[in-house]
Amino acid sequence: MTRRERLQVFSGNASHDLASKICEHLGISLGNLELQRFPDGEIDLKVKDDVRGSDIFVIQSTCPPVNENLMELLILIDCFKRASAEQITAVIPYFGYARQDRKSEGRVPITAKLVANLITKAGADRVLTIDLHATQIQGFFDITVDHLFANPVLIDYFQQLKIPNLVVVSPDVGGVKVVRAYAKKLSAPLAIVDKRRSGPRETEAVHIIGDIKGKNIIIVDDMISTGGTIAQAARALQARGARDIYVCATHPVLCGDAVEKLEKAPIKEMVVTDTIPFNHKNNKKFIKVLSISKLLSEAIRRIHNSESVSSLFT
Ligand code: R5P
């Protein structure tokens, strides 16, 4: 085997379990490295495997603690670059800092662009990610971005539930395009919650567009952070006569008391993926976690073999 043909997968601390599952699917061992902290908190990394000339995939979600995980990712990329890897793909199942993707008012940063610059400058040759908060963030990178959708995994689960009288709901107007794909595949009509954001942590569900009375509902969102958007949407839907309410989201950021907040809302089941590790004490009762490891491993295999990635979704 020539070195460029050698595929190696490494993980930062944010994505260890997911990376191990990906390696199982690929039939390889997870790369060996030591990732610790110096006494002052700085990151102390030593890669134990030879990576010269290899095709490296480094898996790290930039989920909370966001700054720690982002810095780990940058240091990992820098390390592989300096160790003469042939190609480095930053596999970022959850891409954090994505919400500030434009100057929506004066004197605010565009953090999504800043993070794209940092990853590129550190030495990544490609990025592989899932359900970006805004798909145009792909264009913030001047390197190749392969953007995957978690919907095959999530839709498959709901198809098996065979929920009757179903309506798929977007919890805000911005999510309609994504939610339409779910509605189409589940052969269900679409409704929209007209959400107003009154601050970074507060939202208000105002109106519902569409017929939801007496219907079973799946609310679809890309991520759940404080849980405010989903909890309010579920309450508004119930108040207007919806029956069973399911929630489906790719990225379980679930910060602070989000899980407790969602448990108090009229939600029958919440389904998320493992782009972000989730080990809440109540997760068995209420939250189902589906793995996107098979999808990611197949994308990695195809990138390594220069095969089509988009055909995974046709
Ligand atoms: C908004 O544009 C997103 O799609 C999510 O609805 C939002 O980020 C969720 O945030 P939270 O859970 O804090 O309401």
Side-chain angles (χ1 to χ4, degrees), residues 1-8 50-52 54-55:
M1 188 192 291
T2 64
R3 285 182 180 269
R4 171 66 180 82
E5 286 167 19
R6 190 171 62 180
L7 164 67
Q8 285 172 284
D50 173 19
V51 296
R52 186 175 291 272
S54 290
D55 190 10

Side-chain angles (χ1 to χ4, degrees), residues 153-167:
V153 176
L154 293 161
I155 288 172
D156 184 56
Y157 176 77
F158 283 106
Q159 276 172 335
Q160 286 174 30
L161 290 189
K162 294 189 177 29
I163 303 166
N165 292 321
L166 185 63
V167 176

Side-chain angles (χ1 to χ4, degrees), residues 8-262:
Q8 285 172 284
V9 173
F10 291 86
S11 172
N13 282 320
S15 300
H16 199 271
D17 290 352
L18 177 60
S20 300
K21 286 186 194 156
I22 288 170
C23 287
E24 267 175 43
H25 289 299
L26 289 168
I28 60 174
S29 307
L30 185 60
N32 190 8
L33 54 77
E34 268 176 19
L35 193 46
Q36 296 167 340
R37 294 293 182 273
F38 287 109
D40 61 0
E42 289 180 1
I43 293 163
D44 177 10
L45 169 67
K46 169 74 187 163
V47 171
K48 298 292 190 81
D49 293 336
D50 173 19
V51 296
R52 186 175 291 272
S54 290
D55 190 10
I56 299 293
F57 290 81
V58 51
I59 302 174
Q60 175 85 329
S61 278
T62 49
C63 54
V66 185
N67 300 332
E68 284 286 314
N69 289 333
L70 173 60
M71 200 63 206
E72 270 190 13
L73 175 63
L74 298 174
I75 289 174
L76 280 158
I77 294 168
D78 179 80
C79 180
F80 293 123
K81 191 85 192 164
R82 292 175 195 283
S84 303
E86 174 76 15
Q87 176 169 268
I88 303 164
T89 302
V91 183
I92 313 169
Y94 168 70
F95 181 84
Y97 275 122
R99 275 175 291 200
Q100 285 192 294
D101 61 357
R102 66 194 181 286
K103 276 189 79 172
S104 53
E105 56 182 315
R107 301 187 298 280
V108 294
I110 304 179
T111 55
K113 174 63 181 161
L114 171 64
V115 171
N117 284 347
L118 290 170
I119 290 165
T120 309
K121 196 73 191 163
D125 298 294
R126 318 176 57 99
V127 167
L128 173 60
T129 188
I130 304 178
D131 285 341
L132 283 167
H133 187 58
T135 50
Q136 64 269 22
I137 292 170
Q138 292 170 68
F140 292 6
F141 289 90
D142 285 329
I143 54 176
T144 305
V145 177
D146 285 301
H147 184 222
L148 308 183
F149 306 99
N151 67 20
V153 176
L154 293 161
I155 288 172
D156 184 56
Y157 176 77
F158 283 106
Q159 276 172 335
Q160 286 174 30
L161 290 189
K162 294 189 177 29
I163 303 166
N165 292 321
L166 185 63
V167 176
V168 182
V169 173
S170 175
D172 54 38
V173 176
V176 171
K177 199 172 167 216
V178 170
V179 176
R180 194 175 288 134
Y182 282 76
K184 200 174 160 201
K185 283 262 163 67
L186 291 165
S187 306
L190 178 73
I192 303 164
V193 178
D194 178 20
K195 172 184 93 170
R196 307 267 157 87
R197 191 167 271 286
S198 40
R201 288 173 195 80
E202 303 89 41
T203 58
E204 199 189 338
V206 187
H207 297 114
I208 291 166
I209 305 160
D211 179 15
I212 53 94
K213 194 163 183 196
K215 307 286 187 187
N216 295 311
I217 305 290
I218 303 175
I219 308 173
V220 178
D221 210 345
D222 63 329
M223 66 167 162
I224 303 175
S225 181
T226 64
T229 300
I230 293 293
Q232 292 221 18
R235 282 203 190 88
L237 289 159
Q238 187 194 45
R240 286 157 181 84
R243 297 184 66 168
D244 289 347
I245 299 172
Y246 297 80
V247 172
C248 159
T250 305
H251 306 299
V253 181
L254 297 172
C255 51
D257 64 351
V259 173
E260 287 75 12
K261 197 185 290 175
L262 291 160

Side-chain angles (χ1 to χ4, degrees), residues 261-307:
K261 197 185 290 175
L262 291 160
E263 275 188 322
K264 286 183 197 143
I267 297 169
K268 188 177 166 94
E269 186 179 40
M270 198 166 112
V271 183
V272 297
T273 79
D274 57 356
T275 57
I276 297 174
F278 174 64
N279 294 310
H280 193 276
K281 57 186 182 319
N282 292 329
N283 71 346
K284 284 198 184 72
K285 175 181 155 212
F286 173 60
I287 299 179
K288 180 158 190 73
V289 182
L290 304 178
S291 184
I292 38 80
S293 56
K294 197 165 174 218
L295 181 71
L296 271 175
S297 65
E298 182 57 18
I300 288 171
R301 193 192 64 73
R302 289 177 183 218
I303 291 168
H304 178 66
N305 293 330
S306 299
E307 293 172 15

